[in-house]
């Protein structure tokens, strides 16, 4: 499965369009990470736990999107976009969407 | 010995609060400044390493004559938070208005780091097209007014490898 965030797959011709596919996940951080993060808040800097958490969640959302595209018979997703929103205290939604196509 | 009067005990409590406050500021200032300059050094060094892999915001940068060998979506993310000292500085800044430099360097660091991570994921690609940088605030303070909690920066783009 080829993913791009431009309108084409560079070097390939688009044979068929399947419309929008999307994947999302809502994640909350767990207490241990939260405590570590509040310590880190005194010193400042990168919160590695959160970085990993969001990275993993985004991968999961992407996997869901790819699964949907695969079921449609697509082999590439164009114009992929990521969106993040905080839905409630301590939980964020990671949403990813794109256009499923078949390329040759 | 006489029991301390009520007002004395109140003063002691105030002193304790003040000491905690000063200690937190000191830790925030020294550790935060040291971490920041270390981080900037490492960012500058890695940016030099990736000079041969440009990231552009253009969507169609490629020449028709160039043959493409592979395409991949690359991304990098960073979550950062403010230190105690900077938070106080920014709080003071809220009174007079103006540019909040302490936030500026933090977010700048996070952005450059995120782009570097995306480039690292690209491996030996030749160019990253349509680079996008997205910033969102997450964490406990995200929905509270006047509070910057943790900030996530996500950089993503399409890495293209050309046939040599």
């Amino acid at each position: 499965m080829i993913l791009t965030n431009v309108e084409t797959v560079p070097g390939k011709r688009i044979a068929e369009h399947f419309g929008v596919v999307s994947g999302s996940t809502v994640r909350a951080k767990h207490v241990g990470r939260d405590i570590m993060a509040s310590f880190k808040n005194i010193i400042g800097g990168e919160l590695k736990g959160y970085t990993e958490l969001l990275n993993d969640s985004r991968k999961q959302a992407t996997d869901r999107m790819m699964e949907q595209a695969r079921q449609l018979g697509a082999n590439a997703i164009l114009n992929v976009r990521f969106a993040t929103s905080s839905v409630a205290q301590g939980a964020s939604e990671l949403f990813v969407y794109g256009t499923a196509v078949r390329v040759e | 010995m006489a029991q301390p009067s009520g007002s004395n005990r109140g003063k002691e409590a105030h002193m304790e609060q003040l000491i905690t406050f000063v200690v937190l500021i000191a830790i925030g200032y020294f550790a935060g400044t040291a971490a920041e300059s270390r981080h900037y050094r490492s960012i500058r060094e890695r940016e030099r390493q990736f000079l041969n892999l440009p990231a552009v915001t253009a969507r169609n940068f490629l020449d028709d004559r160039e043959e493409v060998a592979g395409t991949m979506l690359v991304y990098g993310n960073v979550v950062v938070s403010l230190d105690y000292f900077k938070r106080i500085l920014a709080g003071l800044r809220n009174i007079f208005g103006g540019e909040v430099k302490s936030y500026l360097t933090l977010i700048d660091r996070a952005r450059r780091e995120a782009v570097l991570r995306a480039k690292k994921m690209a491996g030996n690609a030749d160019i990253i097209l349509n680079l996008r940088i997205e910033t969102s605030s997450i964490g406990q303070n995200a929905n509270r007014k006047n509070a910057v909690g943790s900030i996530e920066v996500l950089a993503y783009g399409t890495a293209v490898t050309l046939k040599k």
Side-chain angles (χ1 to χ4, degrees), chain B residues 41-54:
Chain B
R41 259 203 309 280
S42 115
I43 286 176
R44 275 195 292 269
E45 197 196 306
R46 278 176 295 154
E47 276 178 350
R48 268 196 296 277
Q49 281 173 15
F50 282 117
L51 273 180
N52 56 349
L53 173 59

Side-chain angles (χ1 to χ4, degrees), chain A residues 14-73:
Chain A
I14 295 163
E16 202 177 343
H17 278 272
F18 294 102
V20 173
V21 286
S22 63
S24 80
T25 175
V26 180
R27 285 286 184 100
K29 56 215 160 123
H30 69 74
V31 183
R33 274 187 176 139
D34 216 22
I35 291 169
M36 281 310 290
S38 63
F39 278 130
K40 202 69 202 253
N41 268 341
I42 298 169
I43 302 172
E46 189 183 349
L47 306 173
K48 289 224 169 66
Y50 283 1
T51 304
E52 258 166 50
L53 177 82
L54 288 170
N55 203 8
D56 291 348
S57 324
R58 205 162 271 132
K59 257 188 208 127
Q60 195 187 23
T62 312
D63 284 345
R64 285 180 184 166
M65 176 179 74
M66 276 160 44
E67 186 51 48
Q68 204 184 333
R70 217 169 278 129
Q71 279 172 9
L72 291 170

Side-chain angles (χ1 to χ4, degrees), chain B residues 67-142:
Chain B
E67 297 246 343
V68 177
T71 315
M72 185 171 68
L73 187 76
V74 292
Y75 50 87
N77 71 330
V78 187
V79 180
V80 287
S81 83
L82 280 177
D83 63 58
Y84 206 76
F85 178 71
K86 288 189 169 176
R87 216 171 290 227
I88 306 270
L89 269 190
L92 287 178
R93 195 45 101 180
N94 270 345
I95 302 169
F96 303 108
E99 192 176 41
V100 187
K101 286 234 173 65
S102 55
Y103 282 10
L104 199 72
T105 57
L106 181 88
I107 301 173
D108 176 53
R109 269 159 63 198
R111 289 223 173 95
R112 286 161 76 171
E113 180 71 42
V115 173
L116 282 171
R117 282 183 190 174
K119 284 187 173 183
K120 197 176 169 199
M121 190 176 166
N124 52 8
D126 293 290
I127 195 167
I128 296 179
L129 296 177
N130 199 11
L131 182 82
R132 286 181 179 226
I133 303 177
E134 212 180 83
T135 316
S136 56
S137 61
I138 56 152
Q140 274 183 321
N141 293 331

